Structures are given as structure tokens and as C-alpha cells.
Amino acid sequence: MEIVILGTSSAAPTLRRGLSGTVVIREGETILFDCGEGTQFQLIKRHIPRRKFHHILITHLHGDHIFGLGGLISSLNLSQREYPLHIHGPRGIARFVNFMTGFPRPTKLGFEVRVNELSPRFEGVVYEGAGYRVLASPLDHTIPAIGYRIQEHDLPGRFDEEEAERLGVPFGPIRGRLVRGETVTLDDGTVVRPEDVVGPPRRGKSVAYCLDTAPCKGSLRLARDVDVLIHEATYADEFEGMAHDRKHTTIRQAATIAHEAGARRFIATHFSTRYDGPAIARLEAEGREVFPDLIVARDGLRVEI
Amino acid sequence: MEIVILGTSSAAPTLRRGLSGTVVIREGETILFDCGEGTQFQLIKRHIPRRKFHHILITHLHGDHIFGLGGLISSLNLSQREYPLHIHGPRGIARFVNFMTGFPRPTKLGFEVRVNELSPRFEGVVYEGAGYRVLASPLDHTIPAIGYRIQEHDLPGRFDEEEAERLGVPFGPIRGRLVRGETVTLDDGTVVRPEDVVGPPRRGKSVAYCLDTAPCKGSLRLARDVDVLIHEATYADEFEGMAHDRKHTTIRQAATIAHEAGARRFIATHFSTRYDGPAIARLEAEGREVFPDLIVARDGLRVEI
């Protein structure tokens, strides 16, 4: 699994930071979180193939998170796409997508855009993918906002071919029984327990994406034991009051959520334009007091899980 | 007067070419033609101050010419703008602007957006600026499209202070009469004609902007004796049929318009994505057969008039 952060500025772009958008690439599929203006440019710049998009997950309906949808859909259409595109987001997203694809006249796209509107309090599974599922929890912003988590399915432990060979476990159904957790007795009377030849179950990888939001239970829930938490960190301590009023998060608050939820890694993003430049160091320092290994995102950042 | 071409791709962006947008900078004012997705990024990248925007001129309502409006207006609002922004464009542009600024909820902007809708057949003066006017003519595209021309007012010839001194022309109203074209007789009987001390009238500078369009009379009219014609040149000869069907122009056709209209310079732009790379040289060569000094636009191109 690889994360590519496309844009890291809040509200308005700067010379170095574009608007919100992040992709998660896994086994031939690319999942896009948010689609601010310029997302399709970032995808080209970062060499992310658009033909592998099947799902776009929108957090909320502010322009800096959705104004790139019209252009992206139009370009997908020009690229002769034929299979459906699923867009998930808070109620109202269908009206936006319909307007953008239907202006100035209704247009027949070469592929289907299936919009899945979620209620503001939606909590649960958004969809089941191949080998993973996407979960959602409500966030706490000035308009309804939804956080997401991509959760890969756990996989059974690896089968130790060499050890099985040594113990004389024959090929065939007997190996399947061991993988499924059964103890077996071989023809020569040898008892083989699953743990002799099967490693520990492999935990599915996970990524949580929480913006825009004030510190809230939804973020904490999505971030629980997650491999990577991507959380907004719009302000430094100096603007904690403003963060509160505008339903955003300081980096210290976001780091606290990452820490309390037991997130393994934490990527901070969605910075106020006032931190475009050296001032970002102050933000970073404040976050590190709580979560020492945090990553301050920049446009184009790639993180492997 | 300076022209900055922001985006030069048609329909979809490429690694090197963004979507349509061009600014003309003159005496403290910046006029924007079209506003494709990413225009606000290009403005930042090219160091073009947005506070000097008063007028945006939209040619037509296809997404690659307007999808940047929502983000630009939002960013202007965040920058504490207080004075009005005028957006001129074909009928329907108001619906688009209203939707983008009113989604998901009606928002109170800190400044007024005044939309001036033009009928598809509009021909004439769009507005009178300070020292210039903007003219429009209909173009010929798959949906109503309008071409524009910025025309600076002609200025009277320069007054030759040195020659006036030599001839003994006193300061005061007598000089004004000469500037206005009167012949005067000085107290000592010397007859001074205007052409003795006043240079030839200075022709106002002009820029015409014609995209998207098939070759048409509107372009020809706007381009008449213009200093710089910016004209779409989506295809090379090989796709003349496609250009015709989709109401676009080949570079040879655009160069022919520039030549026939007597345009002093011609900037070709709005290239099909298939010419992103070395193939652009073929396009350029075809245009040069008709208009040898044409300029093939690239993103960020600056041209002084």
C-alpha cells in the first residue's frame, strides 16, 4: 500500500501547496480521498494512472475539497473510460456532480458515475472492495463532514513450505486443514499442529483520513490502531481559538488524537496558508512534542505502508 | 501592455500544458480571459497579483474554460477583497457563478460579483475601461462562444518640447490649441502648424482573443489590424476534418485568419493533447507556412506589446 499526498493547503493554494487530495494505491487499484481544484494536474504530475480509479471518497462539500471533480470526470471521459466511477460523500454531493457534468447542457458520458450519498451521521461500512473495506465515521466541521478508513482484510498466516516438507505433511487437503487451524495426524502417526507450519495471521493494513474537523470522537475511532492516520492540522497553538471557532484542528490536537488512538504513523496536512514557508517548522515542532515521529506532508509526499 | 498565457491545452491538461486562461496586464489592471481549472495556481506561479483583477472575460461555458472560477472567487474572498469583480460571458454564465458561489449553501462574499451576460449574437462594446474598451464578436463553436478584443484608446501625438522652445511657442493655452490640431500665429508673426511640434497620433494597442471557434467572420473582425491575435489552433492539417466537425481550428486556418486580418503578431494556443511533446513542431511548421513569425504558446509565455 502506498499513500501519495497530492495537495496540502487549506482553503486556498499557495506556490508550494495545492488543495486537498490524497491517493491510496493498493494492488492495482487507486482510491482518491477528496478532489480539490487541480487534483487532475497533481495526478498527472505524480504519474498516478487514472484508469485505476474506481472509488472517490469525499469528506465534505467545501469547494477546496470538490472543485476538481468536474474536470477530473471530464478528463476521464475524454480518455475513453467505460467502466463506472463511484463517488461517495455527504448528502449533497450528487447535486454537485450532476451540476458539473450537466453544465451547460446535459452530457452523455461514456461511463457511469454512481454517487453514494451518506447521511451526516453515517457510521459503518461505505463499501466492500477487493480485499479491503472502507469505513466511515462522522467528523465535526462547520458543515457535515465524514472521515474514512481503508481497512484491508486480515490474511491467514504464511504456510511454511520448508517446515511442512520436513515434517512430511503431504500436499493436498491436509495442508488446507492446517491453514484453517485444525491439528492433523499424518499416516505415520505424527501430530502436526497449525502453529508448526502456519505463521501468525497477518493483520490487514489500514489508513485513516480525517479532514476537515475539530478534534472529535469520529477521528479517534477511525484512527484506532491504524497504520497511518492522515489528519488535518490547519493551525499552530497560536490559533487554537480560531481552530475551535472554525471547526479545525491544531497540529498538537491532531497529534494527541494520533497518540491516544495508537496510530502507528501520523501524517499532518491541510495547513493554513500562513504556514507556507519556514513557519511550518513551528507547527511541526508543536506536533512532535506529542507525536515525535509525525510527518508534515508536502505536495507529492509518498509513504509506503 | 503585457500578455501572459497561463494554460495552453485544449479540453484536458497534460504534464506541460494547463487549461485555458490568459491575462493582459496594463497600467495597474489585469484582465483575465477564460478561467479553466487551475487558473488560480497559474496566477500564483506566474506572480500575477490578483488584487488588480476587475474584469474576467469568458468565451464559452465548456468546463475547461470556466471550472477555475469557483476556486478563484473563493480565494479572492479569503484575501479580504472588498471591491466588485465583473464577469462577462455568454448567457448561462450567471447560473454557473451562482451555483459555484452558493454551494453547498448560499454564502455571503465580502465583495460583489457582477455578472454581465451577453447574448450569443452580441457584437459591440462589452465595457469601457480606463483608457481602453473591450469589444466582442460571436465565434462559431458547438455552443455559443464569444471572442474579445481589448482596444486601448488612441492617444494624441507627443508634444515636442524642444522644437516648441526653438520656435518660441510660449507655455499656456497656445500649446493646447496646437495639440488639438490648430495652426497658430505667435506674437512675432511666426506661423506654427500642429505637425511642427506634435508627433503623429499614437495608435492604441490591441489584443484579440478568439477561442474556441471554427474559422469565422467574428475572429476575422476582432483580429483586424490587431497588435496581437491570440487564436485557438487545436489541430494540425491531419485533423482538419475533426476540427471542422468539432468547430475548432487548425493552426493553418488560424494563421490564415491572422494573415488576412493583418494582425501584427499571432499567438497560437489551445492545442490538442496529442501535440504535447515533439509533435508540436509539426503544428508550428504548418502555421509558419502562412504566418512566418507566429508564436506557439507555452504555459507562462509572456509577450510585451
Side-chain angles (χ1 to χ4, degrees):
Chain A
M1 227 190 221
E2 186 182 24
I3 298 165
V4 187
I5 310 279
L6 302 175
T8 57
S9 188
S10 73
T14 69
L15 193 55
R16 291 175 204 76
R17 298 187 184 276
L19 297 172
S20 289
T22 287
V23 293
V24 172
I25 302 165
R26 64 173 302 284
E27 294 182 14
E29 185 179 356
T30 304
I31 300 154
L32 174 63
F33 291 113
D34 282 335
C35 189
E37 181 183 356
T39 294
Q40 63 167 332
F41 301 88
Q42 297 270 18
L43 293 171
I44 295 170
K45 196 168 166 188
R46 308 303 172 192
H47 305 287
I48 295 162
R50 292 171 309 184
R51 66 182 179 280
K52 292 180 174 173
F53 277 137
H54 300 283
H55 295 276
I56 300 177
L57 300 156
I58 299 292
T59 57
H60 66 296
L61 304 182
H62 279 151
D64 57 321
H65 294 251
I66 57 172
F67 280 176
L69 277 173
L72 179 59
I73 291 170
S74 164
S75 292
L76 290 176
N77 194 45
L78 288 168
S79 72
Q80 313 296 325
R81 182 188 178 106
E82 289 180 350
Y83 46 96
L85 175 70
H86 301 260
I87 300 175
H88 313 266
R91 200 175 287 151
I93 185 69
R95 185 160 72 93
F96 183 77
V97 170
N98 289 342
F99 182 86
M100 295 302 271
T101 56
F103 188 87
R105 295 173 181 173
T107 321
K108 179 113 188 72
L109 295 175
F111 65 100
E112 202 185 336
V113 178
R114 293 188 192 153
V115 182
N116 175 24
E117 291 202 326
L118 305 171
S119 102
R121 308 308 304 162
F122 179 82
E123 174 108 39
V125 177
V126 178
Y127 72 91
E128 294 277 358
Y132 71 98
R133 63 178 46 160
V134 172
L135 303 155
S137 281
L139 301 179
D140 179 20
H141 195 42
T142 53
I143 60 173
I146 293 169
Y148 297 98
R149 175 171 173 147
I150 297 176
Q151 178 65 57
E152 285 187 340
H153 299 334
D154 291 339
L155 291 174
R158 279 182 213 286
F159 190 81
D160 187 338
E161 298 280 352
E162 229 167 85
E163 183 63 10
E165 190 71 18
R166 206 186 60 76
L167 294 171
V169 182
F171 288 93
I174 211 164
R175 291 193 171 195
R177 287 167 56 200
L178 282 162
V179 168
R180 286 192 298 277
E182 290 178 38
T183 296
V184 299
T185 307
L186 304 184
D187 288 348
D188 65 359
T190 312
V191 173
V192 184
R193 293 160 306 165
E195 54 268 39
D196 294 335
V197 290
V198 181
R202 287 166 291 167
R203 214 177 41 83
K205 292 170 183 169
S206 52
V207 179
Y209 182 85
C210 302
L211 46 152
D212 295 1
T213 186
C216 69
K217 283 185 188 157
S219 283
L220 204 61
R221 221 161 14 232
L222 292 167
R224 181 69 59 205
D225 299 325
V226 79
D227 285 307
V228 176
L229 168 64
I230 302 164
H231 200 289
E232 76 136 285
T234 310
Y235 299 107
D237 289 346
E238 57 182 341
F239 291 112
E240 194 183 328
M242 198 187 284
H244 179 268
D245 295 345
R246 298 183 178 179
K247 299 271 194 181
H248 282 300
T249 310
T250 67
I251 194 165
R252 185 184 301 277
Q253 292 168 335
T256 302
I257 289 168
H259 175 73
E260 289 183 0
R264 283 169 190 76
R265 297 168 90 179
F266 161 43
I267 301 174
T269 187
H270 195 268
F271 307 115
S272 162
T273 53
R274 51 171 70 70
Y275 302 112
D276 181 47
I280 195 76
R282 197 169 66 232
L283 204 91
E284 184 166 2
E286 289 175 9
R288 285 193 188 279
E289 289 177 19
V290 181
F291 200 101
D293 295 333
L294 70 81
I295 300 169
V296 166
R298 54 173 174 71
D299 287 20
L301 173 75
R302 301 183 96 102
V303 174
E304 287 268 4
I305 313 182
Chain B
M1 228 191 219
E2 188 181 21
I3 297 165
V4 187
I5 310 281
L6 302 175
T8 57
S9 188
S10 73
T14 69
L15 193 55
R16 292 175 202 77
R17 300 188 182 275
L19 297 172
S20 290
T22 288
V23 293
V24 172
I25 302 166
R26 63 173 303 283
E27 295 183 13
E29 183 178 357
T30 304
I31 300 154
L32 174 63
F33 290 111
D34 282 335
C35 188
E37 181 182 358
T39 295
Q40 62 168 333
F41 301 89
Q42 296 270 19
L43 293 172
I44 294 169
K45 195 167 167 189
R46 308 305 173 189
H47 305 287
I48 295 163
R50 292 172 307 185
R51 66 182 179 281
K52 292 180 175 173
F53 276 138
H54 300 284
H55 295 276
I56 299 178
L57 299 157
I58 300 293
T59 57
H60 66 297
L61 304 182
H62 279 152
D64 58 320
H65 294 252
I66 59 172
F67 280 175
L69 276 173
L72 178 60
I73 292 171
S74 164
S75 291
L76 289 176
N77 195 42
L78 289 167
S79 71
Q80 314 295 325
R81 182 188 179 107
E82 290 179 349
Y83 46 95
L85 176 69
H86 301 260
I87 300 176
H88 313 266
R91 202 176 285 152
I93 185 68
R95 185 160 74 93
F96 184 77
V97 170
N98 289 341
F99 181 86
M100 294 301 273
T101 56
F103 188 85
R105 295 173 181 173
T107 320
K108 178 113 188 71
L109 296 175
F111 65 99
E112 201 185 337
V113 178
R114 293 188 191 152
V115 181
N116 175 24
E117 291 202 327
L118 305 171
S119 104
R121 306 309 304 162
F122 179 82
E123 173 108 40
V125 178
V126 179
Y127 73 90
E128 294 276 356
Y132 71 98
R133 63 178 46 160
V134 172
L135 302 156
S137 282
L139 301 179
D140 179 20
H141 196 42
T142 54
I143 60 172
I146 294 170
Y148 296 99
R149 174 172 175 147
I150 297 175
Q151 178 65 56
E152 286 188 340
H153 299 334
D154 292 339
L155 292 173
R158 279 183 213 286
F159 191 82
D160 186 338
E161 297 281 351
E162 229 167 83
E163 183 63 11
E165 189 72 19
R166 205 185 62 75
L167 293 171
V169 183
F171 287 93
I174 211 165
R175 292 192 169 193
R177 286 168 56 198
L178 282 162
V179 169
R180 285 191 300 275
E182 289 178 38
T183 295
V184 300
T185 307
L186 305 183
D187 288 349
D188 67 359
T190 312
V191 173
V192 183
R193 292 159 308 165
E195 56 268 36
D196 294 334
V197 290
V198 182
R202 286 165 292 165
R203 216 177 37 85
K205 293 170 183 169
S206 52
V207 179
Y209 182 86
C210 301
L211 47 151
D212 295 1
T213 187
C216 70
K217 283 187 188 155
S219 282
L220 204 61
R221 220 159 17 229
L222 291 167
R224 181 69 60 205
D225 298 325
V226 79
D227 285 307
V228 177
L229 168 64
I230 302 164
H231 199 289
E232 75 135 285
T234 310
Y235 299 107
D237 288 346
E238 58 183 340
F239 292 112
E240 192 181 329
M242 197 186 285
H244 179 266
D245 294 345
R246 299 181 177 180
K247 298 271 193 181
H248 282 300
T249 310
T250 66
I251 194 165
R252 186 185 300 276
Q253 292 167 334
T256 303
I257 288 168
H259 175 72
E260 289 183 0
R264 284 171 190 74
R265 299 168 87 177
F266 161 43
I267 301 175
T269 187
H270 196 268
F271 307 115
S272 162
T273 54
R274 52 172 67 73
Y275 303 112
D276 182 46
I280 194 77
R282 198 170 65 233
L283 204 90
E284 185 166 0
E286 290 175 8
R288 284 191 189 282
E289 289 177 20
V290 182
F291 200 101
D293 295 333
L294 71 81
I295 301 170
V296 165
R298 54 173 173 71
D299 287 21
L301 173 75
R302 302 183 96 103
V303 173
E304 286 267 4
I305 313 183

